[in-house]
Amino acid sequence: MSKVLLAGESWVSAVTDHKGFDAFPHTQLHIGCKEFVRALEKEGHGITHIPSHRVAEDFPLEIEELNKFDVVILSDVGANTMLLHPKVFEEGRPVPNRLRLLREWVKNGGGLMMAGGYLSFQGFEAKAHYAGSPIEEVLPVNISHWDDRVEEPQGVSGELTKDHWITEGLDAQWPILLGYQLLEPKEDAETLATVDGSPLLVVHSYGAGRSVAFASDISPHWAPREFMEWDGYGRLFSRIVKWVGGEEK
């Protein structure tokens, strides 16, 4: 099975509670990908998770480190976090550009997936900022230069649009999602599923490697209970991982 490096899918909340005259601040670390990780582990994959607050320092800086993995998943972690290693931001010293590093790694045979979220693709107020980056070059989609979110609080369902090994045996219509990124498939890409008529699951090859764009989230809030408890949830993402990692041709 695949060795997967998952970067992102966590956040820290800083809150101040006010109780009459008194107030006290507190912080909490939230790990949004727990069920996603469990689902992939249940399918036999090995997952290494770097939470968002550790990505700037801990994400690999060398091809040799990336070569320990078959698949890299970027989910809800912006380009700034990937680019601004503490040595750069705090010490003014150069380090390798990890977006270019990932491009080279995929070109040489690696597998990259990006999942949607407020800090994926271009993201909330365009803060994810992957448009025009080496990651956009690798992905099977073109990314807008503005906030690309589509919020669907009433829920919209994904639908299969093309036969492919990844989606074989899945329901033709998927449980609801509460939002997604508006993306444009590249000419050589295959759109396997859509949501409300927009691309949801898009795949292609890049050099000797492969990449996948999943326009919605792998966890709340865009992925509600209906989607995450769907019996196709683990199968879908396990098959994505296998395909993008080159296990299946």
Side-chain angles (χ1 to χ4, degrees), residues 82-100:
M82 296 290 293
L83 292 168
L84 296 176
H85 189 280
K87 286 186 178 180
V88 176
F89 193 67
E90 298 171 13
E91 302 174 26
R93 302 303 304 148
V95 301
N97 183 321
R98 287 178 284 201
L99 304 187
R100 295 184 180 185

Side-chain angles (χ1 to χ4, degrees), residues 48-231:
T48 298
H49 178 221
I50 307 178
S52 298
H53 68 285
R54 298 298 312 171
V55 168
E57 186 166 3
D58 292 349
F59 193 89
L61 288 167
E62 305 291 341
I63 286 285
E64 291 73 21
E65 295 178 75
L66 285 174
N67 284 340
K68 297 174 183 177
F69 303 96
D70 304 303
V71 177
V72 171
I73 300 175
L74 301 179
S75 185
D76 228 347
V77 60
N80 280 328
T81 303
M82 296 290 293
L83 292 168
L84 296 176
H85 189 280
K87 286 186 178 180
V88 176
F89 193 67
E90 298 171 13
E91 302 174 26
R93 302 303 304 148
V95 301
N97 183 321
R98 287 178 284 201
L99 304 187
R100 295 184 180 185
L101 190 74
L102 276 171
R103 178 177 61 188
E104 181 182 354
W105 180 72
V106 176
K107 188 175 182 179
N108 291 338
L112 176 68
M113 171 184 166
M114 180 173 283
Y118 273 36
L119 282 167
S120 296
F121 300 105
Q122 198 66 353
F124 177 76
E125 296 181 346
K127 288 179 177 179
H129 199 49
Y130 284 106
S133 76
I135 296 300
E136 182 183 23
E137 183 179 327
V138 172
L139 289 174
V141 293
N142 296 316
I143 302 173
S144 302
H145 282 262
W146 49 83
D147 189 321
D148 56 4
R149 293 170 304 128
V150 180
E151 299 287 353
E152 297 284 6
Q154 78 286 356
V156 288
S157 296
E159 296 184 359
L160 292 183
T161 55
K162 188 178 180 68
D163 291 333
H164 192 278
W165 182 85
I166 289 176
T167 54
E168 183 180 331
L170 292 178
D171 300 333
Q173 187 168 18
W174 299 354
I176 60 168
L177 296 162
L178 302 182
Y180 57 92
Q181 246 94 19
L182 190 61
L183 305 170
E184 178 189 20
K186 293 178 178 175
E187 289 186 3
D188 65 341
E190 296 180 272
T191 300
L192 308 186
T194 60
V195 57
D196 206 25
S198 295
L200 174 59
L201 176 59
V202 188
V203 305
H204 84 160
S205 296
Y206 180 81
R210 292 172 171 176
S211 68
V212 171
F214 183 71
S216 193
D217 214 331
I218 59 176
S219 63
H221 80 278
W222 281 350
R225 296 258 59 87
E226 289 88 341
F227 184 73
M228 297 185 70
E229 292 174 359
W230 171 42
D231 60 9

Side-chain angles (χ1 to χ4, degrees), residues 224-241:
R225 296 258 59 87
E226 289 88 341
F227 184 73
M228 297 185 70
E229 292 174 359
W230 171 42
D231 60 9
Y233 176 82
R235 178 182 176 87
L236 169 63
F237 290 112
S238 176
R239 287 208 155 206
I240 288 174
V241 163

Side-chain angles (χ1 to χ4, degrees), residues 5 19 57:
L5 177 61
K19 298 184 177 182
E57 186 166 3

